């Protein structure tokens, strides 16, 4: 029996300057920011909202991550209904558990893990009921998930067998190799490819929806960010640009028009 898809459903930025990150992303993506104060004793956390729903959070990078030399980065959470079973299964098939399941008071249980190729992500088992699915094209939502890895075929086998993701298609990108697209439920999808040499380790990149790519690209540079690639058209008849925020975290933007 096929597994019900377990998609990414929350996205978190660990940064070195929380106030600056809040100002940057609210200006660029159009998110509405609000302080999260429902977890007593938790470090300062800012929820970013697309419309009336939270889609992610911003937090100051933990001290131990800074000491390890980890740069500012976005990380995604995969939804699970049994975090102990999910972490045990991941470890059994060659993944790594960097932080064992632990409680976030008032929120749920989380774990920091990596797939067998080394790309880091998190699990979250929320305390509350499942939230309604948000259309993937909603402005401010995360419209695409992209994995740069060392072996996309093995990576897809992992995510499909563990989390019920399905292959959607393959695109031959010439010297860059095959770009494989996938679905992770009715409103969640993305692509996988073998990483280019300039990307040192396997990593996930997330695309935030904006209404027009040129105006959004200008907001990136006007607010101190960098454009790394694009804007460019993609086969889905959309436009993308890949960027870096002022603190160094990588992200991308996706729009239906230029």
């Amino acid at each position: 029996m096929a597994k019900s898809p377990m998609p990414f459903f929350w996205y978190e930025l660990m940064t070195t300057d929380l106030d600056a990150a809040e100002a940057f992303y609210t200006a660029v993506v159009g998110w509405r920011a609000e302080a999260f104060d429902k977890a007593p004793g938790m470090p300062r956390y800012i929820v970013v909202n697309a419309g009336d729903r939270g889609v992610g959070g911003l937090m100051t990078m933990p001290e131990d991550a800074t000491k390890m030399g980890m740069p500012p980065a976005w990380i995604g959470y995969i939804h699970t209904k049994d975090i102990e079973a999910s972490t045990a299964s991941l470890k059994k098939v060659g993944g790594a558990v960097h932080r064992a399941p632990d409680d976030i008071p008032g929120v749920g249980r989380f774990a920091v893990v990596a797939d067998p190729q080394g790309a880091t992500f998190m699990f979250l088992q929320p305390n509350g009921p499942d939230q309604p699915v948000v259309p993937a094209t909603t402005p401010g939502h995360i419209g695409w998930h992209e994995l740069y890895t060392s072996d996309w075929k093995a990576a897809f086998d992992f995510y499909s067998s563990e989390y019920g993701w399905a292959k959607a298609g393959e695109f031959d990108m010439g010297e860059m190799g095959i770009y494989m697209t996938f679905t992770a439920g009715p409103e969640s999808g993305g692509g996988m490819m073998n990483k280019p040499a300039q990307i040192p380790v396997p990593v996930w990149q997330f695309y935030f929806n904006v209404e027009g790519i040129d105006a959004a690209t200008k907001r990136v540079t006007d607010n101190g960010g960098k454009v790394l690639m694009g804007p460019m058209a993609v086969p889905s008849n959309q436009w993308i640009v890949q960027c870096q925020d002022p603190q160094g975290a990588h992200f991308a933007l996706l729009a239906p028009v230029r």
Side-chain angles (χ1 to χ4, degrees):
M1 183 176 177
K3 285 188 176 182
S4 296
M6 296 165 59
F8 283 111
F9 78 119
W10 191 259
Y11 309 85
E12 194 167 84
L13 174 68
M14 291 189 291
T15 185
T16 53
D17 190 331
L18 189 53
D19 290 330
E22 177 185 356
F24 177 80
Y25 285 101
T26 53
V28 170
V29 185
W31 285 326
R32 176 177 57 84
E34 61 179 339
F36 180 80
D37 55 5
K38 298 177 183 178
M42 182 176 171
R44 184 178 167 215
Y45 194 89
I46 297 170
V47 173
V48 291
N49 297 273
D52 59 359
R53 174 170 171 179
V55 296
L58 317 176
M59 63 179 289
T60 300
M61 186 173 294
E63 186 175 343
D64 55 350
T66 303
K67 288 179 179 178
M68 291 171 60
M70 179 180 171
W74 282 95
I75 190 166
Y77 286 78
I78 286 179
H79 184 281
T80 178
K81 294 183 178 180
D82 187 338
I83 196 165
E84 273 72 20
S86 292
T87 51
S89 182
L90 171 139
K91 195 170 182 179
K92 185 177 180 180
V93 297
V97 178
H98 295 312
R99 179 165 178 173
D102 198 2
D103 291 319
I104 304 174
V107 175
R109 287 176 64 73
F110 81 105
V112 184
V113 300
D115 67 25
Q117 285 70 47
T120 300
F121 63 96
M122 294 191 188
F123 287 125
L124 183 63
Q125 179 183 336
N127 285 343
D130 292 348
Q131 297 296 308
V133 175
V134 176
T137 55
T138 302
H141 197 37
I142 289 69
W144 196 249
H145 311 81
E146 197 162 72
L147 176 63
Y148 297 97
T149 186
S150 58
D151 185 340
W152 70 263
K153 291 182 179 179
F156 176 72
D157 287 345
F158 166 78
Y159 287 99
S160 61
S161 63
E162 291 291 301
Y163 312 124
W165 297 5
K167 186 179 292 187
E170 294 183 11
F171 296 90
D172 188 340
M173 300 177 65
E175 292 183 358
M176 296 178 67
I178 299 296
Y179 188 86
M180 192 216 73
T181 60
F182 65 87
T183 59
E187 293 293 348
S188 181
M192 300 180 181
M193 65 180 293
N194 287 348
K195 66 181 184 63
Q198 62 265 33
I199 297 179
V201 296
V203 65
W204 279 99
Q205 177 163 258
F206 305 108
Y207 287 72
F208 310 135
N209 293 333
V210 291
E211 294 183 350
I213 208 69
D214 283 345
T217 300
K218 186 175 187 300
R219 293 195 297 272
V220 171
T221 54
D222 284 353
N223 287 278
K226 296 178 181 178
V227 172
L228 304 179
M229 187 187 77
M232 63 178 289
V234 291
S236 60
N237 295 319
Q238 296 170 299
W239 289 83
I240 65 167
V241 63
Q242 296 180 352
C243 310
Q244 190 174 30
D245 72 21
Q247 287 70 52
H250 291 252
F251 69 98
L253 302 173
L254 174 69
V257 297
R258 177 147 199 182

